[in-house]
Amino acid sequence: MHTAQAETALQGRLAKTSARTQWSMLVVLSLLLGAGLSACGLPAALLLGPMIAGIIVTANGGSRGIAPLPFQIAQSIVGAMIARTLPGWVHGDIGGHWMLFVGGVLSVLAICTLLGWLLTRMHVLPGSTAMWGLSPGAATTMTLMAEAFGADVQLVALMQYLRVMLVAAVASVITRILGAHGVHGTLASTHWWQMPDWLALAGTVALAGISIWLSRRFKLRAGAILIPMFAGMLLVHLGWLKIELPVWLLVGAYAIIGWHVGLKFTRPLLQYAARALPRILLCTLALIAACGGLAVVLVQVAGVDPLTAYLATSPGGADTVAIIAASSHVDVSFVMAMQVSRFMTILLVSPLLARLMAGRAKAAKRS
């Protein structure tokens, strides 16, 4: 075990600074990086900037983190944003192309299971840790479920948040290369301080607040994003709600989600997983590449445009992919239908697969 003196020596420059100083540096870095990435025309720059800023702060000894409530508020806003762009989602997409969705969801799940089995078989990671770490669901949800099922939660957290960060970065770069610039709710073409429809904004805030309350009251995993998304789609479809999301509100939500991911890359976590990190990184990139190969199949077989296919098959998380899709010229409805269908399937199937993999790992040790 490390002594207190040794742990202190390992801390970076920000370890002894106040919380106010660390948050100030985080905000300033986020603004600079977000503005720089936006100037380069990179989609989701206002997500990636805070994400990178969070990594920089924690790598230098910062110890801040996003509390559950602000993160749930940000998720509910993103859920409402998705609902605004997806009226008639089930009937128009899943209902009309259900075989395509079933094939896409099961293919991604098969790829994750195969890679997880290989990592366990090669003794890179213990037990069911690989399965939970590669499961392309909501990173926080997968980490919590992994802890409940006895996996190495620190390695799972590293794999999950590394995957989310890499998926967001790779998807943004590919979107920029393909020249798909925003039409679906892009922030660049909107006046930041335009007066909102206050009545519609009040309804949207009420939807978010009720969703968060239900999520916390009934302990619903990922409820903060799923409830406003599904309820919002229904209410918009019935004409009972107009979702109003001012740009400043979306920017705040993007920043919180970016910080939530970036601030997870703490020094203790990276030091704990240092030996396995190169193999975890390689496996994560292999997962992204394999899902990219699946996107090629969608393009060739179903005639889906390349960028839509890539974002639809990207291995999560749904909130970051939603932000990238909303700032790109893609079929947002198709992307989010695939992402949410896969997420719901993984919530149901992952515990079974994890138990199976853990059982096989124990049997292999005894033999």
Side-chain angles (χ1 to χ4, degrees):
M1 295 181 59
H2 293 293
T3 62
Q5 291 82 3
E7 289 180 355
T8 303
L10 288 170
Q11 297 299 312
R13 298 176 181 178
L14 296 179
K16 296 181 180 180
T17 58
S18 66
R20 180 179 297 179
T21 300
Q22 291 185 29
W23 280 114
S24 298
M25 292 189 65
L26 184 64
V27 170
V28 171
L29 277 173
S30 299
L31 290 172
L32 292 174
L33 289 168
L37 294 174
S38 295
C40 296
L42 199 65
L46 300 177
L47 168 73
L48 293 176
M51 190 183 297
I52 297 170
I55 295 171
I56 292 173
V57 168
T58 52
N60 284 278
S63 57
R64 301 301 98 198
I66 300 297
L69 182 58
F71 180 58
Q72 288 180 324
I73 292 172
Q75 282 191 311
S76 69
I77 292 169
V78 172
M81 179 194 72
I82 297 170
R84 184 175 63 178
T85 62
L86 303 183
W89 167 62
V90 174
H91 179 267
D93 282 288
I94 292 184
H97 306 91
W98 67 271
M99 290 186 66
L100 185 63
F101 280 91
V102 169
V105 168
L106 293 180
S107 296
V108 174
L109 187 58
I111 290 169
C112 296
T113 304
L114 177 61
L115 287 174
W117 178 80
L118 287 173
L119 280 177
T120 305
R121 185 78 173 177
M122 296 166 62
H123 304 288
V124 175
L125 294 172
S128 61
T129 299
M131 181 64 222
W132 287 113
L134 290 171
S135 293
T140 303
T141 302
M142 291 298 106
T143 303
L144 292 174
M145 291 178 70
E147 186 174 17
F149 281 86
D152 189 325
V153 68
Q154 288 185 290
L155 283 179
V156 171
L158 177 64
M159 293 177 71
Q160 283 288 334
Y161 289 104
L162 182 64
R163 173 180 53 78
V164 171
M165 183 193 70
L166 290 175
V167 165
V170 172
S172 294
V173 171
I174 289 178
T175 301
R176 178 69 181 92
I177 291 173
L178 294 179
H181 294 265
V183 289
H184 297 288
T186 179
L187 303 182
S189 59
T190 310
H191 296 295
W192 275 56
W193 304 111
Q194 181 179 349
M195 291 293 289
D197 181 334
W198 292 106
L199 184 60
L201 179 59
T204 305
V205 171
L207 171 65
I210 293 171
S211 300
I212 293 170
W213 181 82
L214 289 172
S215 177
R216 295 171 73 90
R217 174 68 177 80
F218 297 101
K219 298 180 180 179
L220 301 174
R221 293 189 178 100
I225 187 172
L226 293 179
I227 295 174
M229 181 167 57
F230 287 114
M233 284 190 292
L234 177 62
L235 293 173
V236 169
H237 180 70
L238 295 174
W240 295 353
L241 177 68
K242 175 187 174 185
I243 294 178
E244 179 74 10
L245 295 169
V247 175
W248 51 265
L249 187 60
L250 283 172
V251 169
Y254 291 7
I256 290 172
I257 291 174
W259 290 336
H260 177 77
V261 176
L263 292 172
K264 295 291 183 179
F265 289 87
T266 60
R267 281 194 167 201
L269 177 60
L270 293 175
Q271 290 162 357
Y272 175 80
R275 291 184 179 180
L277 185 58
R279 288 169 286 182
I280 291 173
L281 180 60
L282 183 61
C283 194
T284 303
L285 292 174
L287 174 61
I288 294 172
C291 290
L294 180 59
V296 173
V297 175
L298 282 180
V299 172
Q300 298 297 324
V301 174
V304 181
D305 77 86
L307 188 55
T308 295
Y310 179 77
L311 290 178
T313 57
S314 289
D319 45 8
T320 55
V321 172
I323 292 170
I324 296 168
S327 40
S328 309
H329 187 75
V330 298
D331 186 344
V332 182
S333 179
F334 185 91
V335 170
M336 293 315 303
M338 184 76 80
Q339 288 282 334
V340 175
S341 300
R342 190 184 66 215
F343 172 70
M344 299 302 291
T345 303
I346 285 172
L347 279 183
L348 296 173
V349 174
S350 286
L352 177 62
L353 291 175
R355 286 193 189 101
L356 181 62
M357 193 168 293
R360 290 190 173 182
K362 289 179 181 178
K365 281 185 178 180
R366 285 195 296 265
S367 60

